[in-house]
Amino acid sequence: MRIECATPRHGLAGPVRACLAISSDDANAPVGSATAWMGGAGDFESGTLPVAIEAVGQPASMQADGTGKGQDFMLEHGTLPAEEPPIYDTRITLNRVTHDVLDPMKGRPGGWWWGAFLAAAGALGIGAAIVALQLRVGLGILGLRRPEMWGTYIVNFVFWVGIGHAGTLISAVLFLLRQRWRTAINRTAEAMTIFAVICAGMFPLLHLGRTLLAYWLFPYPNDRELWVNFNSPLVWDVFAVSTYFTISLLFWYKGLIPDFATMRDREHRPWVKKIYTALSLRWEGTASGWVHYESSYGLFAAIATPLVLSVHSVVSADFAVALVPGWHDTIFPPYFVAGAIFSGFAMVVSLLVILRKAYHLEQYITLDHLELMNKIILVTSTIVAFAYLDEIFMAWYSENPYEKHIFIWLRFVGPYAWAGWLAVCCNCIVPMVFWFRRARRSLATMFVISLLVNVGMWFERYVIVVTSLAQDFLPSNWGYFGPTRFDIGILIGSFGLFFTFFLLFVRFMPTLAMAEIKAILRHPVGGQPSLQEKSHA
Amino acid sequence: MPSLRERPTLVAMFDDPEALLRAATILRTHNYAGLDALTPYPVHGLPEALGLKTSWMPRVTKTAFFIGAGLGFAFQVWVLGWTWRLNIAGKPFVPVPALMPVTFESGILVAGIATFVAMLIAVKLRPTTHYVPFDLALTNDRFALLVPGTAAEMGPIRALLEQLGAAEVRTVAN
């Protein structure tokens, strides 16, 4: 008797051992009846191969030599397919995943949570007070001066949109690339995306000055038959960021539905159970339901992938379409997208290093996963460094005096050189430490580097926004831009907003995608050997 | 649980997804139709083993994308070319390349929302504050195979399922 393995070629979470085909040495043996298949307490009788084929793929055909191919699976004659290294510890059971993810949310939050929450809420309070003051007094409290009309609000906007790129990139792009390790980090990263885009969206609205008229940004029917100007990248931005927020929110919520159902079924407090019941939308987990769910998950990934690349491209068009030296560059879209992935992944690493420790998730968010994240940070760092070099080279090689003045003198020699060099050090030099494996796997090193990367990326945007406007074509306008305490306060406030949301998220929602992790556990039930192992026995 | 309410159903509980897959396979060869399962995560090979059709979701997304993008483009052309013509340095009133970002974003927005709503409809999801699950472990670590049948069929199916390694077989009658 021969036992062969049928492995699905594709699926939501990558290939999983699914079913076995059993055949006699004579491939032309008569088809056994199904009762024979079950006879002998789970032993497999000869001549039952077509039964197993029926299980995994309809258009299968057997060859005389005992090998066959189906549309969705392969039968490999004589040998078992090579084992892929498991993503998670093979001793983890399904029930343990549920416990490990949900147990930290039980009971009262610890002292560290309250400490962090109060700090974040305090920062948010500072930001809210400044926003209230700005709405009352006006934009004059900020460092905005002619010709420097964009200032730190737009720096913050670009910074937070960039942070918001990691989540959808991890959920969509890594999904399409079949990177199964993403299941350990996608939920947290997606949550981070939502909160970062909320922070980002706040700044252009505040920067309008007359924030209550923000609805003018959208094309809506009005008595004067006025419409927005669709030629303007600022209008593209409105569409790009609001679409990105909506799609990211739906994608995130969709992923949460099966996990909310798990929480609903474990919750005993009546009113909390009601909330999770409402959020889980009567999710049952029927196989027919999973078919639609998985299909729509793949489709969301497919539409979110070009979306995530388009959003920062559109943000970069805010600059690149303007005829301002320092902004008018064709390299901006890929440069901005790489920078966004760079800073977003750095933020994910910063948060995960803390989260895995606080929630004891070391078995799920492993050093291997963090190392892979650090490799992506390293790659995107080199792309960003290349973009810097390209800008400088093109400014020098073009012999354009305005370009040279901005790109070389103002950013690296003149009054803003401190910011330019800070960005270069943090974004291009510090991450080079990740060439060393030991650094990629050291929690302390990666935490420090990920923080420095985000400092560097904030200053990169500062350099782009501020230096390009600081000295325009009229030297009588020239001045030195410095943020006021209100500029700084509102940046602190945006961090407060982000971390307040994030801390509430880790307190009330599953921080890991339980259903997705369970789907790729190598041994779903502890101690129960798979059919394949039985055949070896 | 719609499939349980329609007619008498046997619910076989399994602790192991591979046992569930095998049982589904065998029952299919016995020509049992209308099989479904309840699982805490998508089990690979199960839709094929149960004989479930592939999802119609891709058609919704594709159609919605083209409708969204088409409407977005048409709206911009109408605004810039007809109702709100802006003469910007003598450039064309309808600059097609400049309209692409909003066209693309409208397509994605409509496609995403349509896909989400279609999933809610297809999986029969709706908000409610009262729901009694069939078994609490089915969203955690157990798997159930649902086999509808007439009262006369129940005996043989039950025996079959027990032979196939079901940890527990329950009858849900209406």
Side-chain angles (χ1 to χ4, degrees):
Chain A
M1 187 167 73
R2 186 169 56 241
I3 296 190
E4 305 180 42
C5 180
T7 307
R9 277 192 197 146
H10 52 74
L12 177 67
V16 175
R17 206 164 49 228
C19 199
L20 292 182
I22 319 302
S23 68
S24 68
D25 288 337
D26 178 6
N28 295 320
V31 177
S33 70
T35 40
W37 208 88
M38 302 175 322
D43 271 341
F44 305 111
E45 303 293 328
S46 62
T48 56
L49 185 57
V51 175
I53 289 179
E54 177 75 12
V56 281
Q58 288 77 21
S61 62
M62 280 302 293
Q63 308 299 319
D65 62 356
T67 62
K69 280 191 174 179
Q71 188 182 354
D72 295 328
F73 70 102
M74 282 182 291
L75 288 176
E76 292 181 10
H77 178 64
T79 54
L80 294 169
E83 287 279 309
E84 287 183 42
I87 305 273
Y88 301 110
D89 188 336
T90 53
R91 288 166 296 181
I92 297 175
T93 61
L94 297 176
N95 189 36
R96 211 177 117 199
V97 174
T98 312
H99 275 283
D100 286 348
V101 175
L102 299 185
D103 283 356
M105 293 160 57
K106 275 186 184 169
R108 291 176 184 279
W112 68 268
W113 189 88
W114 276 114
F117 184 75
L118 289 176
L124 174 60
I126 293 172
I130 296 173
V131 167
L133 182 70
Q134 188 227 292
L135 291 179
R136 187 180 155 79
V137 178
L139 285 169
I141 62 170
L142 304 172
L144 300 174
R145 296 289 179 273
R146 188 168 46 86
E148 197 71 70
M149 299 314 292
W150 277 24
T152 49
Y153 271 16
I154 302 305
V155 175
N156 293 340
F157 165 69
V158 182
F159 174 76
W160 281 114
V161 172
I163 297 286
H165 267 55
T168 307
L169 190 97
I170 288 167
S171 12
V173 180
L174 296 188
F175 173 82
L176 294 181
L177 295 174
R178 301 276 176 267
Q179 297 296 309
R180 289 187 290 157
W181 58 276
R182 64 182 264 291
T183 51
I185 53 171
N186 66 344
R187 173 67 46 74
T188 314
E190 285 169 34
M192 200 193 75
T193 288
I194 309 287
F195 309 144
V197 176
I198 291 173
C199 292
M202 193 178 73
F203 284 104
L205 299 186
L206 292 173
H207 191 249
L208 292 173
R210 295 173 72 186
T211 304
L212 298 179
L213 298 179
Y215 63 92
W216 284 9
L217 291 169
F218 292 95
Y220 67 97
N222 55 74
D223 286 348
R224 290 173 293 168
E225 295 185 12
L226 298 175
W227 297 99
V228 295
N229 177 10
F230 286 107
N231 290 308
S232 165
L234 301 179
V235 171
W236 306 348
D237 236 9
V238 174
F239 278 82
V241 175
S242 48
T243 300
Y244 186 56
F245 179 72
T246 312
I247 299 297
S248 300
L249 189 66
L250 291 179
F251 203 2
W252 182 56
Y253 180 56
K254 191 175 134 44
L256 277 163
I257 291 173
D259 289 353
F260 279 143
T262 307
M263 296 177 81
R264 167 197 73 199
D265 293 349
R266 283 170 48 88
E267 186 57 58
H268 299 297
R269 292 167 292 177
W271 64 275
V272 182
K273 195 179 185 77
K274 272 195 166 79
I275 294 173
Y276 287 128
T277 304
L279 288 171
S280 61
L281 304 174
R282 294 178 70 92
W283 175 264
E284 299 176 297
T286 56
S288 45
W290 279 117
V291 170
H292 293 300
Y293 180 89
E294 284 195 277
S295 174
S296 57
Y297 199 101
L299 291 163
F300 257 94
I303 60 172
T305 297
L307 178 65
V308 74
L309 299 178
S310 81
V311 174
H312 229 53
S313 302
V314 167
V315 170
S316 79
D318 290 344
F319 302 96
V321 171
L323 291 172
V324 174
W327 288 358
H328 194 59
D329 253 341
T330 48
I331 200 178
F332 261 38
Y335 160 40
F336 266 50
V337 171
I341 296 167
F342 181 48
S343 62
F345 269 68
M347 186 62 109
V348 176
V349 167
S350 309
L351 295 176
L352 287 183
V353 166
I354 300 172
L355 183 69
R356 75 195 283 274
K357 180 80 181 158
Y359 273 23
H360 309 293
L361 297 172
E362 287 92 344
Q363 282 191 306
Y364 301 94
I365 305 167
T366 64
L367 271 184
D368 291 335
H369 303 155
L370 292 171
E371 186 183 1
L372 287 167
M373 305 269 298
N374 292 337
K375 283 182 182 173
I376 295 176
I377 291 176
L378 178 61
V379 170
T380 44
S381 164
T382 56
I383 299 174
V384 168
F386 175 78
Y388 290 176
L389 286 174
D390 176 82
E391 282 185 329
I392 294 166
F393 174 77
M394 290 312 290
W396 168 74
Y397 193 64
S398 67
E399 283 291 347
N400 180 319
Y402 303 104
E403 293 268 313
K404 272 164 71 173
H405 179 75
I406 297 286
F407 277 114
I408 300 171
W409 188 81
L410 209 51
R411 291 188 182 176
F412 295 107
V413 183
Y416 297 99
W418 62 274
W421 285 110
L422 187 62
V424 167
C425 286
C426 291
N427 299 335
C428 311
I429 297 170
V430 169
M432 292 303 121
V433 176
F434 282 150
W435 283 107
F436 300 99
R437 186 165 187 270
R438 185 186 276 184
R440 288 199 302 269
R441 296 182 72 86
S442 156
L443 290 174
T445 310
M446 72 177 83
F447 185 69
V448 171
I449 291 179
S450 63
L451 291 183
L452 286 175
V453 164
N454 269 320
V455 171
M457 284 309 289
W458 193 87
F459 278 99
E460 177 201 292
R461 278 67 177 255
Y462 184 86
V463 165
I464 292 171
V465 173
V466 170
T467 61
S468 308
L469 291 176
Q471 300 192 350
D472 68 356
F473 294 109
L474 276 179
S476 58
N477 274 338
W478 291 7
Y480 183 77
F481 174 82
T484 64
R485 62 182 188 277
F486 298 110
D487 283 290
I488 296 165
I490 211 153
L491 172 64
I492 293 169
S494 70
F495 274 96
L497 180 67
F498 178 80
F499 282 106
T500 304
F501 276 132
F502 191 77
L503 286 160
L504 291 173
F505 159 71
V506 299
R507 184 73 203 130
F508 297 111
M509 292 186 189
T511 47
L512 301 184
M514 290 184 285
E516 290 184 45
I517 288 178
K518 286 173 183 177
I520 61 165
L521 279 182
R522 183 70 17 165
H523 289 271
V525 180
Q528 182 126 2
S530 67
L531 296 178
Q532 221 172 62
E533 285 162 343
K534 277 181 189 164
S535 75
H536 286 305
Chain B
M1 211 167 297
S3 46
L4 284 179
R5 293 207 184 92
E6 285 157 12
R7 53 180 168 152
T9 304
L10 275 182
V11 182
M13 306 287 282
F14 292 90
D15 292 330
D16 179 355
E18 292 183 19
L20 170 77
L21 263 179
R22 204 175 70 191
T25 306
I26 301 299
L27 287 175
R28 282 282 318 281
T29 61
H30 280 242
N31 293 324
Y32 286 110
L35 301 177
D36 207 338
L38 296 173
T39 59
Y41 61 83
V43 175
H44 280 283
L46 190 59
E48 293 85 351
L50 293 169
L52 298 175
K53 288 182 189 161
T54 53
S55 180
W56 42 266
M57 218 56 74
R59 272 169 280 165
V60 173
T61 312
K62 198 162 53 181
T63 313
F65 176 80
F66 286 115
I67 289 174
L71 286 177
F73 185 73
F75 178 65
Q76 293 178 85
V77 170
W78 177 69
V79 166
L80 293 177
W82 274 269
T83 187
W84 183 240
R85 284 161 79 93
L86 295 173
N87 187 342
I88 301 165
K91 288 178 186 168
F93 285 110
V94 182
V96 174
L99 307 187
M100 285 303 114
V102 173
T103 304
F104 171 76
E105 304 293 348
S106 329
I108 295 287
L109 183 66
V110 175
I113 292 173
T115 309
F116 188 78
V117 173
M119 186 206 72
L120 296 184
I121 294 168
V123 192
K124 299 190 180 73
L125 298 179
R126 58 190 180 279
T128 171
T129 52
H130 180 72
Y131 172 72
V132 182
F134 178 73
D135 188 304
L136 295 179
L138 290 174
T139 51
N140 180 21
D141 62 347
R142 290 190 102 188
F143 306 81
L145 184 62
L146 313 180
V147 192
T150 60
E153 288 170 329
M154 285 298 174
I157 303 177
R158 175 184 284 270
L160 192 58
L161 288 168
E162 280 168 358
Q163 269 185 313
L164 284 168
E168 185 189 346
V169 183
R170 296 184 216 168
T171 311
V172 181
N174 291 310

